[in-house]
Amino acid sequence: LEIADWVVNAHHNHTPDSCKKYSEFEQKIFSHAEAFGFAILEAMAYGIPVIATNHFAIPEMIEHKKNGYLIDMRFFKCEKLFQGYVVKTIPKDFEAHLTDNLYKYLCQLIESVELREYFGKEGLKIARTKFSFMERNAKMLSVYKEALQ
């Protein structure tokens, strides 16, 4: 298999078929551009191990080496590098950093069924508890009640 056979870039892939597609994979998601990461939560809800960046809100969902892998982006000023919706060029050092880490983490997941299963189970727990509909709705109700006071 080629590395591309193991990777799904789920950015902007929020269609009714996306959930069906996720269920066909064992591990294969990477995101470098989502602020919150709904695609990441969708994958986690299917028990699919996730590799993403530690940017924006993603670390609220993924704890590095506990329920997925996070590629460290602290060395890059992403807000300046990627302003707006169109990115015309990706700096070579940024691309190399992402590629090297993605390759390293994918190899670890490909080589270990146990690791894939562990990350998948832990991710599923997070999706069903911390980010469940019931939890989200309870938090939103609290925000609305507070706003009305």
Side-chain angles (χ1 to χ4, degrees):
L1 288 175
E2 296 293 321
I3 197 92
D5 296 326
W6 290 89
V7 178
V8 170
N9 183 348
H11 185 60
H12 297 295
N13 190 21
H14 299 289
T15 66
D17 293 330
S18 67
C19 289
K20 182 180 174 189
K21 186 173 184 174
Y22 289 143
S23 66
E24 298 171 3
F25 296 110
E26 290 181 25
Q27 82 275 344
K28 301 155 182 115
I29 187 159
F30 172 73
S31 176
H32 71 277
E34 285 197 80
F36 179 73
F38 285 105
I40 291 169
L41 277 179
E42 289 169 356
M44 291 169 67
Y46 275 93
I48 299 170
V50 175
I51 302 170
T53 59
N54 66 343
H55 198 59
F56 295 122
I58 295 170
E60 292 182 39
M61 294 174 273
I62 300 172
E63 186 177 331
H64 186 61
K65 296 185 178 180
K66 183 175 186 316
N67 66 330
Y69 284 123
L70 289 175
I71 297 173
D72 191 2
M73 302 303 293
R74 291 177 294 166
F75 309 107
F76 300 96
K77 294 182 179 5
C78 294
E79 291 82 5
K80 288 186 179 183
L81 288 173
F82 306 114
Q83 292 179 345
Y85 291 101
V86 177
V87 176
K88 293 183 180 180
T89 59
I90 296 176
K92 294 293 182 197
D93 59 337
F94 180 86
E95 182 178 7
H97 178 73
L98 283 177
T99 303
D100 292 347
N101 281 281
L102 179 60
Y103 180 81
K104 174 178 71 174
Y105 294 142
L106 272 172
C107 286
Q108 291 173 18
L109 288 170
I110 290 166
E111 292 170 1
S112 175
V113 173
E114 295 83 11
L115 184 62
R116 290 194 307 266
E117 289 175 353
Y118 176 75
F119 281 179
K121 287 177 188 173
E122 293 300 312
L124 187 59
K125 284 182 201 174
I126 296 295
R128 288 188 176 170
T129 56
K130 186 175 180 183
F131 294 99
S132 71
F133 287 118
M134 289 178 61
E135 182 70 21
R136 184 194 64 198
N137 291 345
K139 287 179 183 176
M140 290 303 297
L141 181 61
S142 173
V143 168
Y144 289 144
K145 284 181 177 179
E146 186 178 321
L148 292 173
Q149 293 177 355

